[in-house]
């Protein structure tokens, strides 16, 4: 399995995210040399349009920009630039999609150009869509910056593609930020913080929201261009690992290493480089599934345990407390209090 990029693999195009961030910072008076310090990025490579960067280089660039740019709006301003118009095959593909559902499917083909650091899994339940977001590389302290940028890009792209802002609801697991006005201006007022899941939700009917520039011919032309240019890399290393664990919840580390065609020791070392251990990732994957079943589907303990292949309810309760820090009953109560206050 080699369709993923690790944190230090130079597989990400430099001309989209890096170029947008550099131009934004320089426009706000940041010295370019200071911005690029310690990143291993050279501006001449960005200008070439062919150079590729690693995730760790881009994350360091974000950290520099966040420290050097004034105010708390840098990520939101970056997000507005990430989908500026139909200037590339990737942008053309999305510009000429059929509807929102089509756009979300096509986003999987171009996410390494637009949003390599975050991936989402779409669930539909009770006529509502839940797009659960997760970290694809191990962004650590830059994850909130990345999240602010990409949520802004989504809201801005929806206006551009559909001539209206799709009424997305944003649930964030972190506390309400002091710069809440930036969230409201760029994402709208459907915001909740301190939530158990990182999730963007919307009514299922919006999957059929038509794109104002839909063209099957131009869409397929862009798709052919993209396939000719496209790298085989289509996900981050942590995303690849988590997807395997989501499909095989009880997979052992040795079995996972075999899937990636590496030794268990090498897999442990790579996970450590990305800031996590195998057991932590298992707990994260199980935590997300359990909380979705509890909070979104409203299942009781017996149903969740059965869904997650637990034969013993006490064992499920103990595992749930390890994953979340609370019992299922406490989690239900805590969520209701947050929900009603929001």
């Amino acid at each position: 399995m080699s369709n993923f990029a690790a944190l230090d693999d130079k597989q990400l195009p430099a001309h989209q995210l890096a170029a947008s961030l550099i131009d934004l910072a320089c426009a706000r008076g940041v010295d370019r040399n200071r911005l690029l310090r310690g990143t291993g990025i050279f501006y001449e490579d960005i200008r070439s349009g062919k150079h590729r960067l690693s995730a760790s280089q881009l994350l360091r660039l974000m950290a520099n920009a966040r420290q050097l740019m004034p105010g708390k709006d840098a990520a939101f301003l970056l997000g507005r630039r990430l989908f500026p118009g139909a200037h590339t095959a990737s942008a053309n593909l999305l510009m000429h999609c059929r509807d929102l559902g089509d756009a979300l499917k096509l986003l999987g083909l171009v996410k390494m150009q637009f949003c390599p650091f975050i991936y989402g899994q779409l669930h539909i339940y009770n006529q509502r869509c839940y797009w659960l977001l997760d970290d694809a590389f191990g962004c650590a302290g830059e994850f909130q910056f990345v999240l602010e940028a990409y949520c802004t890009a989504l809201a801005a792209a929806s206006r551009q593609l559909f001539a209206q802002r799709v009424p997305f609801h944003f649930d964030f697991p972190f506390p309400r930020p002091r710069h809440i006005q930036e969230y409201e201006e760029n994402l709208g007022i459907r915001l909740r913080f301190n939530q158990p899941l990182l999730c963007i939700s919307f009514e299922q009917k919006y999957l059929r929201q038509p794109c104002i520039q839909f063209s099957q011919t131009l869409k397929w032309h862009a798709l052919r261009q993209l396939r000719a240019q496209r790298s085989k890399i289509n996900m981050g290393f942590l995303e690849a690992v988590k997807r395997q664990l989501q499909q095989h919840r009880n997979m052992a580390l040795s079995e996972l290493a075999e899937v990636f065609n590496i030794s268990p020791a090498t897999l442990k070392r790579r996970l450590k480089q990305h800031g996590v251990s195998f057991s932590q990732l298992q707990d994260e994957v199980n935590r997300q599934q359990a909380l979705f079943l509890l909070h979104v589907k409203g299942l009781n303990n017996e149903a969740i345990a059965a869904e997650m292949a637990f034969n013993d309810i006490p064992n499920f309760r103990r595992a749930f407390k390890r994953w979340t820090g609370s019992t299922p009953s406490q989690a239900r109560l805590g969520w209701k209090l947050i929900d009603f206050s929001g």
Side-chain angles (χ1 to χ4, degrees), residues 13-280:
H15 61 276
Q16 182 69 27
L17 178 58
S20 297
L21 186 52
I22 291 170
D23 289 345
L24 171 62
C26 291
R28 302 195 73 187
V30 175
D31 178 76
R32 193 167 65 206
N33 292 327
R34 291 187 66 196
L35 179 66
L36 297 179
R37 188 172 298 162
T39 65
I41 299 173
F42 298 94
Y43 187 63
E44 293 72 20
D45 293 333
I46 301 293
R47 293 182 62 184
S48 74
K50 298 179 181 180
H51 196 69
R52 291 186 176 270
L53 303 174
S54 68
S56 59
Q57 286 179 299
L58 286 171
L59 290 169
R60 180 60 186 269
L61 180 65
M62 289 180 198
N64 288 353
R66 186 165 52 85
Q67 292 169 8
L68 295 172
M69 289 176 67
K72 295 288 187 179
D73 60 350
F76 301 96
L77 293 174
L78 175 63
R80 295 178 195 173
R81 291 171 174 248
L82 290 182
F83 190 68
H87 302 303
T88 64
S90 300
N92 270 312
L93 183 64
L94 296 177
M95 286 291 293
H96 302 298
C97 66
R98 182 181 62 253
D99 51 31
L100 177 58
D102 192 29
L104 292 177
K105 290 178 182 177
L106 295 173
L107 185 60
L109 299 178
V110 298
K111 68 178 181 179
M112 298 307 281
Q113 287 77 28
F114 287 115
C115 52
F117 293 102
I118 292 178
Y119 75 100
Q121 292 190 306
L122 187 67
H123 300 265
I124 300 176
Y125 177 72
N126 200 22
Q127 299 185 344
R128 192 162 185 82
C129 297
Y130 298 87
W131 199 15
L132 303 183
L133 304 182
D134 213 334
D135 187 344
F137 276 98
C139 297
E142 302 311 312
F143 188 65
Q144 187 169 337
F145 182 93
V146 168
L147 193 60
E148 290 173 346
Y150 288 134
C151 288
T152 300
L154 175 66
S158 73
R159 289 194 298 269
Q160 192 166 345
L161 294 178
F162 312 114
Q164 70 174 62
R165 178 182 280 183
V166 175
F168 295 118
H169 293 245
F170 296 90
D171 281 6
F172 299 107
F174 46 81
R176 177 185 172 95
R178 291 185 177 181
H179 54 294
I180 188 64
Q181 70 279 0
E182 297 294 343
Y183 278 81
E184 293 175 344
E185 179 181 343
N186 291 281
L187 307 183
I189 60 173
R190 301 175 184 88
L191 306 167
R192 297 192 303 181
F193 299 93
N194 286 316
Q195 293 299 294
L197 291 168
L198 174 55
C199 178
I200 300 173
S201 63
F202 54 94
E203 292 182 55
Q204 185 179 356
K205 66 180 182 180
Y206 285 102
L207 287 176
R208 298 184 296 276
Q209 183 72 29
C211 176
I212 60 175
Q213 296 189 48
F214 169 58
S215 169
Q216 190 67 35
T217 302
L218 293 176
K219 171 185 163 182
W220 282 111
H221 178 68
L223 189 58
R224 284 194 295 270
Q225 283 185 309
L226 186 66
R227 283 173 174 165
Q229 304 167 3
R230 186 179 167 213
S231 165
K232 293 181 180 179
I233 303 302
N234 61 13
M235 68 180 77
F237 174 67
L238 287 189
E239 176 184 353
V241 172
K242 289 174 185 175
R243 287 188 181 278
Q244 287 294 321
L245 294 178
Q246 285 161 349
Q247 294 173 18
H248 311 284
R249 196 178 66 83
N250 294 316
M251 176 179 278
L253 185 142
S254 58
E255 294 172 318
L256 182 62
E258 188 175 343
V259 170
F260 287 99
N261 197 29
I262 56 178
S263 69
T266 299
L267 177 58
K268 285 183 181 180
R269 186 168 59 252
R270 288 191 181 180
L271 289 173
K272 186 176 180 180
Q273 289 171 345
H274 288 74
V276 294
S277 67
F278 178 70
S279 61
Q280 284 176 319

Side-chain angles (χ1 to χ4, degrees), residues 266-317:
T266 299
L267 177 58
K268 285 183 181 180
R269 186 168 59 252
R270 288 191 181 180
L271 289 173
K272 186 176 180 180
Q273 289 171 345
H274 288 74
V276 294
S277 67
F278 178 70
S279 61
Q280 284 176 319
L281 282 187
Q282 282 184 312
D283 286 351
E284 285 180 22
V285 168
N286 287 325
R287 175 185 179 278
Q288 187 182 73
Q289 183 184 6
L291 289 175
F292 181 81
L293 295 173
L294 186 147
H295 292 315
V296 176
K297 289 194 171 183
L299 301 185
N300 59 29
N301 290 357
E302 289 74 14
I304 299 174
E307 185 82 14
M308 299 187 70
F310 279 90
N311 295 321
D312 185 87
I313 299 301
N315 281 340
F316 163 70
R317 289 197 186 98

